[in-house]
């Protein structure tokens, strides 16, 4: 069967609406995927899991000295609130939060250039700050064109304690710093809630080695404000095309296809899958992930969290076939990394746009910057690789995560700083 990228593009348009973690729209997209799976002649099912998040009831920030102005803010989900009536406290801009920036911060609200990693987060807690502000967008953004990203406080940070955290437009932060804002009044009323998110799962049993599993993954959720076609409706339709291929060309090993929900809030779909399929995981030989594709302007990239010989194989295959792609041994912030962390080698295929050529995580992630032709490139490459691996006479990839990758994974999931405690 040949790839039909027009069909992929049509499905991409069908799921190209905002579908955030645990929302009704995410479930609607899941059901569209299940229908498409049925139309291929396979049976897909939903697996649900819980997503802890927050319901924000009130969130205000006002500069009260030396001038008065209220700014729009979005609190982090899963951080903590500030009681009714709010707090009024000193405001300090601490740049990148280097040690010299962290002096005399007790009880103060700080603005920081970056989202603190667990190490810096811990230092902020120890410095006794009242809360922190991170920025999104650029100093040039226009209010009606930039949305404030909804961030979620990760467990790797909150293991060190909870403090209020908010996100603001860089344009507003710039205004505050330029005008020497010195005191702010902040109020955040939030409630912890739990939503239900879903993974979509389908299996085609291998004709010769049914107990050897290669799994395909793509996350189908989006961030708020974004129709998430480039990230990652594209990967979702690409693996659907691969499912079609393996349905028509039965594989000798078992292939599993999983569309993950809630990837954007911390790989929660893949983590849930790994937790609930512990027995089955022993049979998993490799995870093949597709995350970000379809951009008209772009370049092909493969990230391999496995032994170096798999990097070399993909590189050689690409050259032999004439695929222009770059492959490297690395980890990638996607579901593949959760798999690699449990010891299953993983590979992610992507098509990255050059800066400004397509946009992730904003309202500008729209179908206009994508095409069927571009989807076809990544689909062809992923299919070529997958087919050779799934149907290999002797499975060539060792089920092992090399030491250098293990180090990267531990850093990503912050196991090092946990060990220090
Ligand atoms: Zn993504």
């Amino acid at each position: 069967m040949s790839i039909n990228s027009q069909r992929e593009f049509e499905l991409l348009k069908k799921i190209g609406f905002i579908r955030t973690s645990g929302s009704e729209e995410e479930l609607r997209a899941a059901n569209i995927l299940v229908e498409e799976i049925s139309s291929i002649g396979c049976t897909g099912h939903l697996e649900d899991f819980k997503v802890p998040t927050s319901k924000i009831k009130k969130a205000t920030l006002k500069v009260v000295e030396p001038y008065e102005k209220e700014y729009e803010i979005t609190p982090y989900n899963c951080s903590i609130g500030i009681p009714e009536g709010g707090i009024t406290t000193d405001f300090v801009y601490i740049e990148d939060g280097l040690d010299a920036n962290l002096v005399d911060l007790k009880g103060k609200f700080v603005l920081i250039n970056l989202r603190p990693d667990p190490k810096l987060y811990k230092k902020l807690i120890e410095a006794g700050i009242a809360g922190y502000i991170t920025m999104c967008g650029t100093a040039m953004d226009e209010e009606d064109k930039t949305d404030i990203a909804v961030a979620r406080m990760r467990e790797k940070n909150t293991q060190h304690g909870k403090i209020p955290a908010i996100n603001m437009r860089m344009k507003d932060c710039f205004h505050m710093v330029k005008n020497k804002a010195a005191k702010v009044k902040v109020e955040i009323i939030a409630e912890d809630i739990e939503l239900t998110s879903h993974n979509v799962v389908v299996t085609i049993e291998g004709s010769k080695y049914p107990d050897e599993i290669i799994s395909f993954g793509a996350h189908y959720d989006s961030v708020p404000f974004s129709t998430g076609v480039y990230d990652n409706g594209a990967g979702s339709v690409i693996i659907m095309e691969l499912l079609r291929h393996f349905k028509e060309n039965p594989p000798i090993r078992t292939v599993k296809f999983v569309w993950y929900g809630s990837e954007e809030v911390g790989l929660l779909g893949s983590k849930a899958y790994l937790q609930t399929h512990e027995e089955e995981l022993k049979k998993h030989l490799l995870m093949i992930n597709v995350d970000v594709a379809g951009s008209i302007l772009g370049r092909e990239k493969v990230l391999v969290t496995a032994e170096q010989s798999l990097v070399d194989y993909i590189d050689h295959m690409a050259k032999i076939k004439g695929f222009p792609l770059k492959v490297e041994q690395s980890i990638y912030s996607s579901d593949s990394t959760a798999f690699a962390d449990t010891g299953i080698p993983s590979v992610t295929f992507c098509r990255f746009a050059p800066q400004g050529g397509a946009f992730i995580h904003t309202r500008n992630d729209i179908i206009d910057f994508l095409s069927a032709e571009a989807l076809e490139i990544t689909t062809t490459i992923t299919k070529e690789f997958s087919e050779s691996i799934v149907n290999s006479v002797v499975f060539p990839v060792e089920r092992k995560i090399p030491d250098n990758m293990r180090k990267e994974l531990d850093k990503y999931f912050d196991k090092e700083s946990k060990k220090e405690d």
Side-chain angles (χ1 to χ4, degrees):
M1 181 211 76
S2 58
I3 290 159
N4 184 337
S5 58
Q6 207 52 51
R7 177 171 59 204
E8 290 181 276
F9 201 59
E10 288 309 312
L11 180 61
L12 183 56
K13 284 193 231 163
K14 249 186 177 171
I15 59 167
F17 48 85
I18 299 170
R19 31 185 212 287
T20 58
S21 161
S23 65
E24 273 173 37
E25 291 76 18
E26 190 195 49
L27 179 57
R28 180 151 71 92
N31 284 320
I32 293 172
L33 294 172
V34 170
E35 267 169 44
E36 188 76 15
I37 291 165
S38 303
S39 78
I40 292 171
C42 297
T43 309
H45 68 273
L46 298 183
E47 295 184 0
D48 60 90
F49 56 95
K50 296 285 178 216
V51 181
T53 184
S54 306
K55 191 174 177 180
I56 309 295
K57 293 176 168 169
K58 190 176 179 188
T60 59
L61 181 142
K62 195 176 169 185
V63 171
V64 290
E65 269 178 38
Y67 64 96
E68 282 202 17
K69 184 174 162 63
E70 191 166 332
Y71 297 92
E72 199 184 329
I73 62 169
T74 301
Y76 276 55
N77 283 333
C78 302
S79 72
I80 54 168
I82 293 172
E84 198 95 45
I87 53 160
T88 303
T89 175
D90 288 348
F91 166 80
V92 187
Y93 174 42
I94 61 164
E95 300 173 349
D96 277 6
L98 302 184
D99 288 345
N101 295 117
L102 301 183
V103 182
D104 293 334
L105 294 182
K106 202 165 177 50
K108 296 176 182 174
F109 228 93
V110 303
L111 167 67
I112 187 162
N113 288 337
L114 39 100
R115 290 191 185 181
D117 62 8
K119 232 181 211 154
L120 178 53
Y121 184 92
K122 195 173 168 216
K123 283 186 181 178
L124 291 174
I125 295 240
E126 284 163 0
I129 62 164
Y132 66 82
I133 303 167
T134 54
M135 308 181 246
C136 60
T138 79
M140 278 170 58
D141 281 330
E142 290 163 52
E143 226 146 89
D144 56 342
K145 290 191 186 130
T146 328
D147 305 293
I148 304 178
V150 183
R152 181 173 182 274
M153 191 61 82
R154 304 295 159 95
E155 286 76 14
K156 57 189 177 186
N157 281 354
T158 52
Q159 60 171 318
H160 302 301
K162 277 191 176 187
I163 37 173
I166 59 187
N167 216 359
M168 287 179 63
R169 286 192 185 88
M170 185 179 281
K171 181 191 163 81
D172 290 338
C173 296
F174 174 78
H175 186 265
M176 284 168 72
V177 175
K178 191 179 171 196
N179 292 289
K180 302 187 171 52
K183 250 188 186 10
V184 290
K185 183 177 182 220
V186 190
E187 191 175 2
I188 303 167
I189 312 285
E191 187 192 325
D192 291 335
I193 56 165
E194 224 175 35
L195 299 174
T196 303
S197 182
H198 300 83
N199 292 330
V200 180
V201 184
V202 53
T203 308
I204 299 176
E205 191 148 299
S207 57
K208 198 168 177 185
Y209 304 112
D211 282 343
E212 297 185 7
I213 301 172
I214 289 93
S215 88
F216 292 82
H219 77 85
Y220 72 94
D221 63 315
S222 78
V223 301
F225 316 112
S226 171
T227 62
V229 280
Y230 174 47
D231 179 18
N232 183 38
S236 301
V237 304
I238 287 173
I239 69 163
M240 187 67 79
E241 197 66 15
L242 296 181
L243 171 67
R244 212 178 267 277
H245 173 77
F246 283 113
K247 173 70 183 166
E248 289 176 19
N249 304 275
I252 64 169
R253 291 187 177 77
T254 294
V255 288
K256 260 187 186 289
F257 289 80
V258 188
W259 288 262
Y260 295 104
S262 299
E263 186 265 1
E264 297 286 7
V265 293
L267 318 180
L268 299 190
S270 47
K271 284 177 184 168
Y273 187 90
L274 292 163
Q275 254 172 27
T276 48
H277 294 265
E278 218 173 297
E279 261 316 291
E280 177 202 289
L281 293 182
K282 292 173 192 152
K283 303 176 185 170
H284 282 239
L285 303 177
L286 180 70
M287 193 271 199
I288 301 170
N289 188 46
V290 186
D291 192 356
V292 175
S295 61
I296 292 173
L297 303 177
R299 60 185 188 279
E300 299 301 314
K301 184 112 192 224
V302 185
L303 300 138
V304 177
T305 316
E307 55 188 335
Q308 179 63 32
S309 60
L310 186 57
V311 178
D312 297 335
Y313 168 64
I314 294 171
D315 187 46
H316 293 168
M317 179 204 77
K319 284 175 177 145
I320 290 165
K321 298 281 176 185
F323 298 146
L325 74 78
K326 225 178 184 171
V327 51
E328 60 187 45
Q329 192 186 38
S330 175
I331 63 163
Y332 184 56
S333 187
S334 184
D335 299 305
S336 48
T337 294
F339 270 76
D341 193 44
T342 66
I344 300 165
S346 71
V347 183
T348 297
F349 288 80
C350 341
R351 178 173 175 82
F352 289 140
Q355 184 83 40
F359 309 90
I360 64 162
H361 299 175
T362 74
R363 64 166 81 178
N364 299 315
D365 182 352
I366 50 173
I367 201 91
D368 305 34
F369 300 109
L370 276 55
S371 72
E373 289 75 13
L375 276 175
E376 186 163 338
I377 302 170
T378 314
T379 314
T380 305
I381 293 169
T382 313
K383 181 189 142 210
E384 198 66 42
F385 167 74
S386 305
E387 193 163 45
S388 73
I389 283 284
V390 168
N391 292 321
S392 53
V393 173
V394 176
F395 197 77
V397 185
E398 205 184 331
R399 199 183 184 289
K400 186 186 149 195
I401 302 295
D403 291 345
N404 59 336
M405 289 293 100
R406 173 44 63 197
K407 252 193 196 141
E408 293 282 313
L409 289 164
D410 285 353
K411 214 159 78 189
Y412 183 87
F413 292 105
D414 193 46
K415 287 180 195 150
E416 279 166 351
S417 81
K418 253 186 213 159
K419 269 182 234 150
E420 284 166 20
D421 294 339

